[in-house]
Amino acid sequence: MLKDRVFTNDETETWQTVLSTHEKTRRDQVVDIFHSGLKTLDIQANKIPQLWEINDTLEKISGFNGAYVTGLEDGKSFYPMLAKRLFPVGNFIRDKRDLSYTPEPDMIHDLYGHIPFLVNRDYAQFCQKIGETACRFIDDDKKFHQFERFFWFTIEFGLIKTDDGPRAFGAGIASSIGECDFALSFEPEVVDFDIELIINQEFRIDEMQKKLFILESKSQLYGCIDELVNKVKK
Ligand SMILES: [Fe+2]
């Protein structure tokens, strides 16, 4: 059982600033399953949740647990964790000078951004399957990197079409005020979801994403693993 973590005043203040600012706009920016996850897990601006409390609820619903890590997980340890329904959560909160961007995933990116999505059973199932499937290619750098690109342009930085217009589907967008504003502006190039294009598309982690892919629906993503494997194998 995880012990209670004590957060510094700076960490609490940064969490409150990011979440309370984002509360004003996120309803019109991020896909529905993010909001229902936040509600189910009772993630709020006024208090940084304890990970064990989150896990208590999350595990009962989707079998996932967050696991504290000290920084960015290498893909070769990240995908095996996903396959076991474990999601790494950076055990720190970004410096308050980096409100909209942090070079390493922290609790705002992981716990506020990723974890709420994992309450949804279909999404959780998909993530586990992506983890298992990527592990099959873990010793082939080229193919493994194609999985990393796929993950990047969907789970991290995907967009999705909805009846109300485009919404952020990726947690990298959902957890960042700056990325939300930028991704939904007219600035990035937005391309229809296409596995072949995605697995051949390079990306940079140190700047706003200038090229994004947009899903027609959640089922388009959840049903695409066989096609992804076929394209990666080619
Ligand atoms: Fe992430």
Side-chain angles (χ1 to χ4, degrees), residues 41 43 63 114 157 200 209 226-227:
L41 298 172
I43 294 177
H114 280 287
F157 285 96
N200 291 299
Q209 301 301 307
D226 288 347
E227 188 189 343

Side-chain angles (χ1 to χ4, degrees), residues 21-232:
T21 307
H22 201 206
E23 253 170 26
K24 300 184 186 109
T25 53
R26 71 188 180 205
R27 181 60 58 180
D28 294 326
Q29 293 179 320
V30 188
V31 69
D32 53 0
I33 56 173
F34 177 69
H35 307 291
S36 49
L38 287 175
K39 190 158 178 249
T40 303
L41 298 172
D42 196 26
I43 294 177
Q44 297 189 32
N46 60 9
K47 173 175 158 273
I48 306 174
Q50 293 295 336
L51 188 55
W52 67 264
E53 291 174 316
I54 295 287
N55 285 345
D56 260 7
T57 309
L58 184 62
E59 186 176 11
K60 283 188 198 113
I61 299 173
S62 72
F64 257 90
N65 275 279
Y68 273 138
V69 294
T70 53
L72 179 62
E73 280 298 290
D74 180 78
K76 301 212 165 163
S77 56
F78 175 71
Y79 291 97
M81 287 178 80
L82 268 193
K84 286 186 264 180
R85 295 201 183 225
L86 282 173
F87 201 94
V89 174
N91 67 350
F92 65 99
I93 289 185
R94 68 194 62 186
D95 191 279
K96 61 183 166 191
R97 285 167 300 189
D98 304 325
L99 283 190
S100 97
Y101 175 75
T102 175
E104 285 198 305
D106 64 344
M107 288 187 72
I108 293 175
H109 176 87
D110 290 325
L111 200 148
Y112 175 59
H114 280 287
I115 293 285
F117 284 97
L118 291 163
V119 171
N120 182 281
R121 291 194 183 96
D122 293 335
Y123 183 98
Q125 172 74 21
F126 174 76
C127 282
Q128 184 199 10
K129 220 167 154 202
I130 277 289
E132 275 173 6
T133 313
C135 287
R136 284 167 47 198
F137 298 91
I138 211 157
D139 296 323
D140 183 324
D141 285 350
K142 182 169 174 272
K143 294 188 170 113
F144 191 67
H145 191 44
Q146 292 184 319
F147 272 92
E148 293 186 306
R149 289 176 184 151
F150 180 82
F151 193 87
W152 183 263
F153 287 109
T154 55
I155 298 297
E156 292 290 357
F157 285 96
L159 293 175
I160 188 164
K161 295 178 187 173
T162 77
D163 292 343
D164 301 315
R167 292 287 183 271
F169 185 84
I173 306 176
S175 60
S176 162
I177 303 161
E179 290 279 3
C180 267
D181 289 343
F182 185 76
L184 297 165
S185 71
F186 291 103
E187 286 200 55
E189 181 191 359
V190 177
V191 179
D192 280 342
F193 178 78
D194 180 309
I195 294 174
E196 185 82 39
L197 293 179
I198 289 176
I199 64 175
N200 291 299
Q201 179 65 47
E202 283 300 340
F203 61 85
R204 287 182 59 167
I205 63 166
D206 59 344
E207 60 180 27
M208 295 273 181
Q209 301 301 307
K210 297 194 177 69
K211 184 164 190 172
L212 298 167
F213 292 88
I214 188 160
L215 291 158
E216 283 298 323
S217 64
K218 294 169 197 128
S219 55
Q220 184 184 33
L221 180 68
Y222 301 159
C224 83
I225 292 186
D226 288 347
E227 188 189 343
L228 172 62
V229 170
N230 286 337
K231 300 253 191 234
V232 167

